[in-house]
Amino acid sequence: MNYESLEFAALETARVAPVTGCNELIAVAKHLHALGTTHAYRALGGMLSSNLIETACFDKRLDDYVHNEVWAHLIDDVSVDSSGSRIAAIAKDELWSKMDFIVLLTVYRGSEENAYTDKLEVRAVINSTKDASPQTVDAFGKFILSLWGLWSGKSLFFKGIEKYLLEGIPGLEYLIQFHSLNYALDSKDWGKTSFFPEPFSESLVAQNLRLTMTEISAPDLAVMKGQNFYNPDNKYIQLCCPATSCIRRTDDQAPVAWICCHADYQMGVLRTVDEYQGRGLAKYVVHDLGNKMIKEFAAKVSALYKYSQPNDAYVIQMIAERSNRTPIRLYENFGFRLVAEVTWAECRFHPAGGPPKL
């Protein structure tokens, strides 16, 4: 990615800097990895699954379906380095304390099947292991309002953001809003509970019901439609999901249980069709996907950052609706722990006087 390709270049000010070059993106990705919060991992996952870094480093071309940008809000003035980049200067001198928050922006285009097409997704990372200060909340609100102004007044879709950050934005109007629970499990603890099942191919349920473990494919989407709150289209599955797992019948290949790893490396879209519920299929797709996610994330981290033990620094995450206890109990049996309550919301704004100056 280069500066000329930024859709939201007008966001740049003395306090707001784009993260565009190869070295800058890698440095920010490493910092998110080291920060280790759930939001940091989701933003890092979005950067890795979208091949944003490969695009900047190896001049790869991304599909027109997805466009990602990374922006950083600075607390203090930062002088540019020889390349003219403030982010490069921060990375070179390890001045991460001068960074207030980081935002990953994602736009999906080119599909009429997906209700989220042409909605701007926002993922935010506070550059701290603690809640944001009132000054940071205020700065974030101003950033979002200016972003909305550049987005021609269309709605923004917030992906798993803390509720208090949204409450700090004046003039907010919710079009869609729900609160969910964020669970996480360190990859080094994956497989340590007695709940982990045997390989699916060796299970009695697979043999008795004539089922096999595969991945989600395009024909499955017609069956999946309407079964989950979020209905991904084929483009999203192909380009934005690092991994999927699907149990299907061996005779007609019909899917009966599935789950996917979202673009931010978070488990989601878990579902078993009604006639196969109560047979324990969900635990098998979760187990299969968890193994794939750890392997996929480790490979990307190892290739980009040369870590010797990438598996030891990965947190598997999932989102569950507060009212739906069945998947929550399932994830807790795998060892997942509750780490946060987050908000998913589609919003628009009515700020008095228009977008503020940053």
Side-chain angles (χ1 to χ4, degrees):
M1 168 171 282
N2 53 49
Y3 187 85
E4 288 72 25
S5 67
L6 293 177
E7 184 164 340
F8 304 102
L11 284 172
E12 185 172 12
T13 68
R15 289 286 186 271
V16 180
V19 185
T20 55
C22 172
N23 293 333
E24 289 86 346
L25 285 164
I26 288 179
V28 168
K30 285 185 176 181
H31 177 66
L32 292 172
H33 195 257
L35 184 59
T37 64
T38 57
H39 294 282
Y41 268 106
R42 281 207 294 270
L44 173 59
M47 293 174 68
L48 295 180
S49 68
S50 66
N51 293 321
L52 180 64
I53 297 174
E54 288 93 329
T55 303
C57 296
F58 307 115
D59 198 29
K60 287 187 176 180
R61 183 180 181 275
L62 288 176
D63 190 279
D64 292 337
Y65 175 73
V66 62
H67 174 79
N68 284 279
E69 296 182 15
V70 182
W71 288 84
H73 186 274
L74 311 178
I75 300 173
D76 299 316
D77 289 329
V78 176
S79 300
V80 300
D81 75 342
S82 58
S83 69
S85 169
R86 285 173 288 166
I87 303 302
I90 287 175
K92 179 181 178 181
D93 296 326
E94 294 291 324
L95 300 175
W96 295 111
S97 61
K98 291 183 176 292
M99 190 176 291
D100 205 9
F101 58 83
I102 300 166
V103 177
L104 175 65
L105 306 176
T106 304
V107 181
Y108 297 110
R109 300 194 188 283
S111 173
E112 296 180 356
E113 303 171 16
N114 192 339
Y116 296 103
T117 295
D118 284 332
K119 287 188 174 69
L120 175 57
E121 290 187 352
V122 180
R123 293 179 176 87
V125 182
I126 301 303
N127 188 30
S128 172
T129 56
K130 301 178 181 179
D131 284 352
S133 67
Q135 293 80 7
T136 297
V137 173
D138 180 66
F140 178 73
K142 291 178 179 178
F143 176 91
I144 293 299
L145 288 174
S146 289
L147 174 65
W148 176 73
L150 295 175
W151 190 231
S152 302
K154 293 183 286 187
S155 59
L156 306 180
F157 198 76
F158 292 96
K159 304 284 282 188
I161 195 170
E162 284 112 332
K163 184 179 178 181
Y164 77 92
L165 287 177
L166 291 182
E167 291 174 342
I169 305 175
L172 186 67
E173 177 187 355
Y174 290 100
L175 303 179
I176 299 173
Q177 178 191 21
F178 69 94
H179 305 295
S180 58
L181 303 176
N182 194 169
Y183 284 77
L185 175 64
D186 195 301
S187 59
K188 67 177 181 291
D189 296 323
W190 179 252
K192 289 188 176 180
T193 71
S194 59
F195 184 75
F196 276 72
E198 73 274 26
F200 184 68
S201 60
E202 300 174 10
S203 68
L204 289 177
V205 67
Q207 297 170 18
N208 292 340
L209 298 179
R210 298 182 179 180
L211 302 174
T212 186
M213 181 76 72
T214 60
E215 298 179 341
I216 296 173
S217 61
D220 301 331
L221 300 179
V223 177
M224 294 171 61
K225 190 172 183 180
Q227 298 266 5
N228 298 90
F229 173 81
Y230 175 77
N231 296 307
D233 64 5
N234 190 41
K235 275 279 193 178
Y236 184 87
I237 293 292
Q238 287 181 333
L239 299 173
C240 304
C241 290
T244 65
S245 294
C246 178
I247 294 175
R248 63 181 74 250
R249 295 196 292 254
T250 56
D251 53 0
D252 60 2
Q253 296 299 300
V256 299
W258 55 81
I259 191 172
C260 78
C261 171
H262 280 300
D264 52 6
Y265 276 88
Q266 187 158 244
M267 288 186 179
V269 196
L270 173 63
R271 178 69 179 174
T272 301
V273 298
D274 292 345
E275 57 266 38
Y276 282 85
Q277 289 184 7
R279 302 172 186 268
L281 298 184
K283 71 178 179 181
Y284 287 103
V285 290
V286 170
H287 181 224
D288 186 68
L289 183 65
N291 290 336
K292 291 176 181 176
M293 287 171 65
I294 292 173
K295 182 178 180 180
E296 170 75 16
F297 189 91
K300 284 184 174 291
V301 169
S302 180
L304 290 171
Y305 316 124
K306 314 301 181 186
Y307 290 158
S308 59
Q309 296 293 332
N311 278 11
D312 292 339
Y314 173 46
V315 177
I316 309 171
Q317 296 191 65
M318 53 76 64
I319 287 286
E321 295 180 45
R322 176 185 288 279
S323 60
N324 194 348
R325 288 298 306 170
T326 300
I328 290 177
R329 285 194 296 269
L330 172 66
Y331 284 108
E332 288 174 340
N333 286 335
F334 272 100
F336 284 81
R337 69 191 189 282
L338 178 63
V339 292
E341 180 175 339
V342 294
T343 297
W344 302 69
E346 182 182 354
C347 304
R348 60 186 177 191
F349 306 90
H350 299 286
K357 294 182 178 179
L358 294 175

